[in-house]
């Protein structure tokens, strides 16, 4: 079903338009001003926008400008203006600024439906052409996407680790449209120790994705064993320095949850700091992510760091998309916003899943994501 | 990304403005190539007016470093109190490319 966002401040007219569109088989989401409308366009990625010109908070022209300035997919959405009869200047300005069509009020619904169909048909024609010409490439990319997803710990493996170490594990992995460079994983070292890692390769696309396969194989075939996280990072760094081209690198967090010692011992290579959530004292402790990224300079010395844990504490790991995504729309959380978001969760009695932590981000994040998002939460049940 | 290049007897200074990200790769690599052709022993990349740097942008600075080294130029970064300082510090960039001391 095609999705239309209808933005009109006059409630009765908006209701009439929405009913007419719904009766004709469209899914309609409504907004009463430009600010609300922009939020819906970003998050719901509609197939078409129907928009009034004069509105409170943000008028139609400003909304159109912000939509067309975006480099995201929704920046190209077909945009139809509703203008009052006789407002010729409005009509011309809208079309010059990037609107695709206009309709004058009072609305002739037959014409409205025909214009919508025309716009959607044009988009469909272009999409079909692109699909035909890029079809093979897209199929290859889709297959690579699935292979990359298969590198992540399976549902069954996570449940096995949970049972072996008395943990509760949840994760959220949302790839951007392109192939990306995020990967995370787990290794059971002994009945009391489990290793986590989260990696983000520089750049995007196929090159970054290929590097995730390289590193996954290395970690899988040469597990950490008795090494500390820092010594293990040094070993991997040395190997990666020989593999990567100049300008490519990996930011890495790697750590061991040790149930006997009640601690998380970790080492970092230029990554987002791990966060401990303490539900008992309703506070968080932010670790340290500093370190030279892997693959840049052989011989770098890394540091083992500790977050001490008690029963029911949670550990939260995440890739930088969580703090940086939405920057162009000024919606990015930043490190401070992220910590505030996590602290809010610490006020609860316990945690259900990682989605509880990142729900405010997921709700507001413009789609599709421009970078892979990985977030992992591990509650130590004792 | 916008940039300007200044040259004097000691070397060359690149003033970078706006954002240095994955979409600037081609332009930045040709800028690196241009810099290696210039006279002098020093190259300063002025990042103080940069508003954002992503991981690909960090990678491009490492490319510039290597290209400078290949022609015996020494690269330093002018960071100031720029918005990108935190991003550079997380990756301990000062241990890879020295910051200007003045």
């Amino acid at each position: 079903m095609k999705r239309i966002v209808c933005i009109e401040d006059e409630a009765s007219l908006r209701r009439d338009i929405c009913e007419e569109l719904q009766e004709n088989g469209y899914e309609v989401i409504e907004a009463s001003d430009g600010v609300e409308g922009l939020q819906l366009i970003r998050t719901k990625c509609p197939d078409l926008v129907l928009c009034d010109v004069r509105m409170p908070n943000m008028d139609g022209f400003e909304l159109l400008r912000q939509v067309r300035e975006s480099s995201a997919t929704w920046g190209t959405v077909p945009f139809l203006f509703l203008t009052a009869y006789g407002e010729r200047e409005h009509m011309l300005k809208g079309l010059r600024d990037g609107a695709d069509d206009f309709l004058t009020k009072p609305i002739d619904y037959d014409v409205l439906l025909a214009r919508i169909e025309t716009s959607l048909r044009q988009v469909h024609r272009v999409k079909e052409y692109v699909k035909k010409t890029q079809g093979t490439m897209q199929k290859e990319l889709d297959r690579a996407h699935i292979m990359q997803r298969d590198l992540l710990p399976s549902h069954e493996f996570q449940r096995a680790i949970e049972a072996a170490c008395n943990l509760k594990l949840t994760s959220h992995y949302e790839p951007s449209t392109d192939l990306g460079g995020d990967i995370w994983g787990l290794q059971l070292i002994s009945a009391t120790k489990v290793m986590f890692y989260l990696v983000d390769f520089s750049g995007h696309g196929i090159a970054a994705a290929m590097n995730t396969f390289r590193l996954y194989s290395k970690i899988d075939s040469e597990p950490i064993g008795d090494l500390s996280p820092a010594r293990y990072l040094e070993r991997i760094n040395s190997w990666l320095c020989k593999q990567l081209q100049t300008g490519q690198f990996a930011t890495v967090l790697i750590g061991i949850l040790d149930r006997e010692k009640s601690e998380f011992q970790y080492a970092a290579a230029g990554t987002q700091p791990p966060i401990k959530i303490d539900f008992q004292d309703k506070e968080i402790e932010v670790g340290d992510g500093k370190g030279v990224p892997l693959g840049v300079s052989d011989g770098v010395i890394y540091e083992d760091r500790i977050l001490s844990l008690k029963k029911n504490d949670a550990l939260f790991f995440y890739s930088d998309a969580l703090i940086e995504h939405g920057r162009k729309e000024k919606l990015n959380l930043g490190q401070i916003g992220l910590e505030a978001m996590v602290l809010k969760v610490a006020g609860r009695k316990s945690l259900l899943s990682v989605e509880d932590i990142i729900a405010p981000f997921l709700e507001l994040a413009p789609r599709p994501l421009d970078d892979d998002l990985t977030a992992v939460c591990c509650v130590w049940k004792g | 990304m916008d940039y300007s290049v200044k040259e004097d007897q000691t070397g060359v200074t690149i003033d970078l403005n706006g954002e240095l990200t994955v979409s600037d790769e081609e332009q930045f690599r040709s800028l690196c190539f241009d810099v290696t052709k210039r006279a002098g022993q020093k190259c300063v990349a002025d990042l103080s007016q940069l508003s954002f740097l992503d991981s690909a942008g960090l990678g491009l600075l490492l490319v510039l470093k290597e290209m400078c080294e290949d022609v015996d130029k020494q690269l330093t970064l002018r960071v100031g109190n720029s918005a990108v300082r935190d991003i550079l510090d997380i990756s301990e960039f000062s241990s890879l490319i020295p910051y200007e001391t003045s």
Side-chain angles (χ1 to χ4, degrees), chain A residues 202-203 246-247 249 290-291 327, chain B residues 19 52 55 59 66 90-92 95:
Chain A
S202 58
T246 303
F249 57 80
K290 276 188 187 162
R327 196 170 31 81
Chain B
E19 303 189 339
F52 182 71
S55 63
E66 190 178 89
I90 287 174
S91 295
E92 296 183 343
S95 70

Side-chain angles (χ1 to χ4, degrees), chain A residues 23-243:
Chain A
E23 279 169 18
N24 283 278
Y26 294 107
E27 177 192 348
V28 190
I29 314 173
E30 44 186 302
S32 59
D33 62 44
V35 175
E36 255 182 53
L38 183 60
Q39 158 85 350
L40 289 175
I41 295 168
R42 276 175 185 151
T43 54
K44 305 292 179 191
C45 297
D47 297 292
L48 184 138
V49 175
L50 198 57
C51 183
D52 190 14
V53 174
R54 292 176 203 265
M55 289 183 296
N57 298 326
M58 185 196 290
D59 69 12
F61 293 132
E62 176 58 19
L63 172 63
L64 174 66
R65 190 186 65 78
Q66 293 207 26
V67 168
R68 290 293 184 247
E69 269 185 6
S70 170
S71 56
T73 319
W74 50 263
T76 61
V77 65
F79 201 104
L80 271 64
F81 262 134
L82 300 170
T83 60
Y85 178 75
E87 289 183 332
R88 184 174 172 275
E89 289 310 311
H90 276 178
M91 182 260 293
L92 285 173
K93 177 173 167 45
L95 291 174
R96 282 183 192 131
D97 287 357
D100 299 291
D101 204 350
F102 72 94
L103 282 148
T104 49
K105 298 177 191 174
I107 293 170
D108 178 330
Y109 286 102
D110 290 333
V111 174
L112 172 69
L113 289 166
R115 292 272 176 86
I116 288 175
E117 271 171 38
T118 306
S119 274
L120 291 175
R121 198 164 52 229
Q122 282 169 346
V123 172
H124 180 74
R125 209 179 290 135
V126 173
K127 274 188 179 164
E128 282 302 303
Y129 176 74
V130 172
K131 218 182 347 184
K132 216 184 286 172
T133 50
Q134 295 191 343
T136 316
M137 174 65 99
Q138 191 55 50
K139 268 184 207 158
E140 295 288 335
L141 284 174
D142 290 347
R143 230 172 277 150
H145 245 306
I146 292 167
M147 283 172 68
Q148 198 179 23
R149 198 176 265 261
D150 284 346
L151 298 183
L152 305 179
S154 69
H155 187 71
E156 293 73 26
F157 183 59
Q158 289 187 52
R159 298 296 83 78
I161 297 259
E162 280 183 333
C165 298
N166 203 17
L167 307 174
K168 180 177 167 56
L169 286 169
T170 49
S171 63
H172 181 96
Y173 176 74
E174 189 172 339
S176 56
T177 38
D178 299 325
L179 282 173
D182 273 20
I183 183 178
W184 75 277
L186 295 163
Q187 265 180 16
L188 188 61
I189 303 172
S190 71
T192 56
K193 286 183 182 176
V194 58
M195 185 193 87
F196 291 82
Y197 65 90
L198 196 150
V199 176
D200 185 357
F201 272 95
S202 58
H204 305 270
I206 296 172
M210 286 169 78
N211 282 328
T212 64
F213 282 88
R214 265 180 172 156
L215 187 57
Y216 172 85
S217 303
K218 182 74 176 171
I219 293 175
D220 192 51
S221 60
E222 291 178 29
I224 190 166
D226 294 329
L227 294 178
S228 76
R231 300 295 84 77
Y232 190 52
L233 267 194
E234 287 159 11
R235 182 195 276 187
I236 294 181
N237 179 45
S238 214
W239 173 79
L240 216 46
C241 282
K242 296 185 194 82
Q243 308 293 322

Side-chain angles (χ1 to χ4, degrees), chain B residues 17-51:
Chain B
N17 263 281
E19 303 189 339
L20 180 59
T21 68
V22 68
S23 49
D24 301 306
E25 171 139 16
E26 218 168 304
Q27 193 188 10
F28 192 85
R29 279 181 186 269
S30 74
L31 169 63
C32 294
F33 189 69
D34 174 34
V35 164
T36 59
K37 303 275 173 225
R38 307 272 184 138
Q41 296 290 300
K42 289 183 177 169
C43 174
V44 178
D46 187 340
L47 313 181
S48 56
Q49 299 305 311
L50 215 51
S51 61

Side-chain angles (χ1 to χ4, degrees), chain A residues 201-204 246-249 251 269-272 289-293 296-297 300 305 320 324 327-328, chain B residues 19 21-23 29 51-56 58-60 62-64 66 87 89-93 95-96:
Chain A
F201 272 95
S202 58
H204 305 270
T246 303
Q248 295 182 342
F249 57 80
T251 63
T271 189
Q272 302 310 311
K290 276 188 187 162
V292 177
V296 177
S297 174
V300 172
R305 296 163 185 159
D320 59 1
E324 285 175 4
R327 196 170 31 81
K328 283 181 191 142
Chain B
E19 303 189 339
T21 68
V22 68
S23 49
R29 279 181 186 269
S51 61
F52 182 71
L53 191 62
D54 70 357
S55 63
L58 286 172
L60 288 171
L62 295 169
V63 169
L64 176 61
E66 190 178 89
I87 299 171
D89 286 350
I90 287 174
S91 295
E92 296 183 343
F93 238 63
S95 70
L96 302 169

Side-chain angles (χ1 to χ4, degrees), chain B residues 2-21:
Chain B
D2 293 320
Y3 69 89
S4 60
V5 180
K6 285 182 288 198
E7 199 174 354
D8 62 25
Q9 284 163 340
T10 59
V12 59
T13 302
I14 313 164
D15 288 327
L16 292 164
N17 263 281
E19 303 189 339
L20 180 59
T21 68

